[in-house]
Amino acid sequence: MLKIAVFVSGKGSNLKSVYNKVSKEKLNICTVVSNKEDCSALSFASEKEIPIFLVSEKEKEGFVDYLFLINEFQKFSIDLILLAGFLKKIPDYFIEAFENKIINIHPALLPKYGGKGMYGLNVHRAVFNANEKISGATVHFVDKIYDNGKIIAQRKIDISHANSPEEIAEQVLNIEHELLPYIIEKFADMKIIITDSKIKILD
Ligand code: GRF
């Protein structure tokens, strides 16, 4: 059983797709963490009775800090931390504590269209303005630089008929909802092999 923590800031459609598509026998979403008090992702977590933490680097009532989460995750032996639309930069000491254990889903084909400020519609606008014909989604490990960690998997999609950044966003989100549960299931089946130079996904 893979024990994960999911970090969210918004709609939580990726959280929902993982919750709905990965077998409950293989996956335990132990907690959902957010920097935003009011977001649909948190409402979904409460509805499903998943324990919630609000996190902030600054002292704030009702919020825990990242040190607290490190202790908690270590105590409960969390195997994997998934950033699914989490919009805050994670502090370096948290990333160091969980090397090769934090993954992110990004709505473009990295290494293009990543980095600071490249989130949400900003990404799709840049892709649209560059007149790209193909876009996609990337699941990658998180390191200390935005969208820079090793790529685990990507899925491409033809966007040549999209008439706006919003249309691209919709098309890409649909494939995120396939790619992310697929990868989480591969982690649960221990079919993601990490070597120094490569990441392999076994059949
Ligand atoms: C997704 O496009 C994801 O790639 C990005 O933020 C968006 C989150 O959507 N990191 P949701 O909150 O999962 O619906």
Side-chain angles (χ1 to χ4, degrees), residues 68-88:
F68 176 91
L69 291 180
I70 292 176
N71 284 326
E72 209 63 11
F73 291 179
Q74 285 171 345
K75 198 159 76 194
F76 292 102
S77 307
I78 295 291
D79 298 306
L80 191 71
I81 296 158
L82 165 62
L83 310 186
F86 187 66
L87 294 180
K88 275 267 169 204

Side-chain angles (χ1 to χ4, degrees), residues 10-165:
K11 281 201 315 283
S13 66
N14 278 295
L15 165 67
K16 288 178 200 164
S17 78
V18 168
Y19 181 91
N20 290 324
K21 291 186 180 171
V22 183
S23 151
K24 302 275 175 296
E25 280 151 33
K26 291 184 183 180
L27 181 70
N28 181 5
I29 302 178
C30 298
T31 180
V32 169
V33 178
S34 179
N35 62 314
K36 288 252 172 75
E37 275 165 281
D38 288 318
C39 62
S40 330
L42 277 191
S43 314
F44 177 80
S46 329
E47 202 182 285
K48 300 294 175 196
E49 296 180 350
I50 303 169
I52 288 166
F53 286 112
L54 292 169
V55 69
S56 169
E57 272 194 89
K58 293 188 196 126
E59 216 173 285
K60 224 167 149 185
E61 213 191 307
F63 284 68
V64 300
D65 61 15
Y66 284 89
L67 272 179
F68 176 91
L69 291 180
I70 292 176
N71 284 326
E72 209 63 11
F73 291 179
Q74 285 171 345
K75 198 159 76 194
F76 292 102
S77 307
I78 295 291
D79 298 306
L80 191 71
I81 296 158
L82 165 62
L83 310 186
F86 187 66
L87 294 180
K88 275 267 169 204
K89 177 109 167 57
I90 305 258
D92 287 356
Y93 62 86
F94 186 89
I95 291 168
E96 275 163 25
F98 299 108
E99 206 198 342
N100 281 344
K101 282 191 171 183
I102 311 176
I103 67 170
N104 179 47
I105 179 138
H106 184 79
L109 296 172
L110 293 175
K112 283 175 99 177
Y113 305 108
K116 199 167 191 299
M118 277 296 187
Y119 60 87
L121 262 191
N122 294 351
V123 177
H124 305 297
R125 248 182 238 122
V127 169
F128 183 75
N129 291 337
N131 204 21
E132 296 279 8
K133 304 296 175 214
I134 306 268
S135 191
T138 303
V139 176
H140 64 95
F141 282 111
V142 172
D143 68 11
K144 291 176 190 167
I145 304 168
Y146 274 115
D147 301 322
N148 176 71
K150 278 190 192 151
I151 292 174
I152 301 167
Q154 293 183 305
R155 203 157 283 184
K156 292 181 185 166
I157 191 162
D158 179 356
I159 52 157
S160 55
H161 299 294
N163 292 312
S164 64

